[in-house]
Amino acid sequence: MGDGTSLVETLKLTCFRQRGNDIVTDAQMEALLIVAEQYRLNPFTKELFAFADKGAIVPVVSVDGWSRIINENPAFNGLEFRYSDEIVTMPRGKPCPAWCEVVIYRKDRDRPTVVREYLDEVYQAPRGQNAYDGPWQSHTKRFLRHKTLIQGARIAFGFAGIYDEDEAHRIIDAGSIDATTGEITQQKQPERPTLPAYAQADFTKNLPQWAGIVKSGRKTPDELIAMVGTKGVLSEAQKQGIRDLAKSQDVTDAPIKNEVPAEPAMSAAEQEAHAEFLAGLEG
């Protein structure tokens, strides 16, 4: 195993969900191991893993991990689930109860902790560029139960600083954590201002300059359209006017193929000889 460097890198690949060329640092690995020790979870058997996020980590506990830390809590005294009689079907999901409740009993409390989660608030639509179906689509009822168990465990036992995978994705995608409840909320992205229509006067003024850019080969008409479109919304006629620049380039300097060269002019003596020749033909 040498100096152990390769082993450390293998463990990082096992414990972290890396994106692109992200490099997991030793400090991030140590942070994950601190969380693992605190909750007595094993990151090498997938009970705990993490996403690297802006130099920090987002610790993610699998369903098996959540089940273990609940069952190993000395105050735990059983749980039960309850379901809504109303059945709903989310887009691309399977029919599922509208809500699920978990009732968690503790030995040191007279009353149980009851937490209800609603499907329409926790359901995760297909992710990714191709939007392939995921576990929420194939196992809708099971994942509602998992989500309910996790939220119930947080309230009943005060588990903090650990998340499920859905929450981790929301944190990484510019989410924020409510310091009071521990809930992850998606930050609303600022709406891009609506661009005004591109003024025809400016279009007419700039068209000769754009023609020079196209002629020089610095940009294609489509590249120009994309660039100008950041300043204002082009009409279809204006877009076509830019595309036509490629057809109207000056071609006067281009050589003319198959041109018949003009005959040189005849001298005065040659003209006289030629006239006598023609007269002889007529006589």
Side-chain angles (χ1 to χ4, degrees):
M1 298 176 68
D3 60 0
T5 302
S6 61
L7 175 61
V8 172
E9 293 305 315
T10 300
L11 295 180
K12 288 179 180 178
L13 290 173
T14 302
C15 300
F16 278 82
R17 301 292 188 271
Q18 293 170 260
R19 297 173 296 163
N21 296 320
D22 286 352
I23 297 176
V24 177
T25 66
D26 291 342
Q28 288 172 320
M29 187 67 186
E30 290 171 5
L32 179 62
L33 293 178
I34 290 172
V35 176
E37 182 179 10
Q38 178 182 355
Y39 288 101
R40 299 179 62 187
L41 293 168
N42 189 342
F44 307 120
T45 58
K46 307 297 185 181
E47 290 182 339
L48 173 71
F49 58 93
F51 289 93
D53 183 41
K54 307 177 186 70
I57 67 167
V58 181
V60 178
V61 178
S62 68
V63 174
D64 290 341
W66 283 102
S67 178
R68 187 146 82 81
I69 61 176
I70 292 170
N71 281 280
E72 289 185 352
N73 191 293
F76 180 60
N77 196 32
L79 62 80
E80 61 187 57
F81 290 100
R82 301 169 182 166
Y83 298 93
S84 168
D85 292 331
E86 179 187 0
I87 302 298
V88 297
T89 304
M90 299 299 290
R92 294 172 64 169
K94 291 185 176 179
C96 178
W99 53 260
C100 174
E101 279 184 352
V102 62
V103 183
I104 299 179
Y105 299 91
R106 288 183 56 143
K107 298 173 183 177
D108 54 355
R109 292 180 183 172
D110 293 334
R111 294 177 178 275
T113 299
V114 181
V115 174
R116 176 182 294 186
E117 289 293 318
Y118 290 87
L119 178 64
D120 63 350
E121 294 182 351
V122 298
Y123 180 80
Q124 294 293 314
R127 290 195 186 98
Q129 183 177 2
N130 297 314
Y132 294 122
D133 285 352
W136 274 99
Q137 286 69 57
S138 60
H139 298 80
T140 309
K141 292 183 285 294
R142 179 185 299 178
F143 270 72
L144 175 61
R145 187 186 70 206
H146 289 171
K147 181 68 73 172
T148 306
L149 174 65
I150 292 168
Q151 297 302 330
R154 280 203 177 107
I155 296 175
F157 300 107
F159 296 140
I162 52 178
Y163 308 96
D164 64 29
E165 190 165 354
D166 291 336
E167 293 169 327
H169 281 291
R170 286 156 59 193
I171 293 172
I172 293 171
D173 296 338
S176 61
I177 305 172
D178 188 306
T180 304
T181 65
E183 287 288 326
I184 291 84
T185 56
Q186 193 74 23
Q187 292 180 346
K188 185 177 181 180
Q189 298 298 320
E191 296 182 0
R192 296 181 64 181
T194 303
L195 293 174
Y198 199 92
Q200 184 61 38
D202 292 336
F203 182 86
T204 304
K205 175 183 175 182
N206 293 326
L207 197 61
Q209 180 183 354
W210 297 337
I213 293 174
V214 172
K215 182 178 179 180
S216 67
R218 283 181 290 166
K219 287 188 180 297
T220 66
D222 286 338
E223 289 172 339
L224 262 177
I225 290 172
M227 181 185 72
V228 177
T230 62
K231 305 296 183 182
V233 179
L234 291 166
S235 68
E236 290 303 317
Q238 289 171 331
K239 291 179 183 179
Q240 188 59 48
I242 294 176
R243 294 191 183 101
D244 288 342
L245 294 176
K247 305 175 184 178
S248 60
Q249 295 183 29
D250 188 4
V251 295
T252 56
D253 295 332
I256 302 175
K257 296 181 180 180
N258 301 322
E259 182 178 1
V260 179
E263 295 184 0
M266 292 184 292
S267 65
E270 289 174 332
Q271 290 179 6
E272 183 178 353
H274 184 64
E276 291 180 355
F277 173 74
L278 294 176
L281 291 177
E282 293 175 356

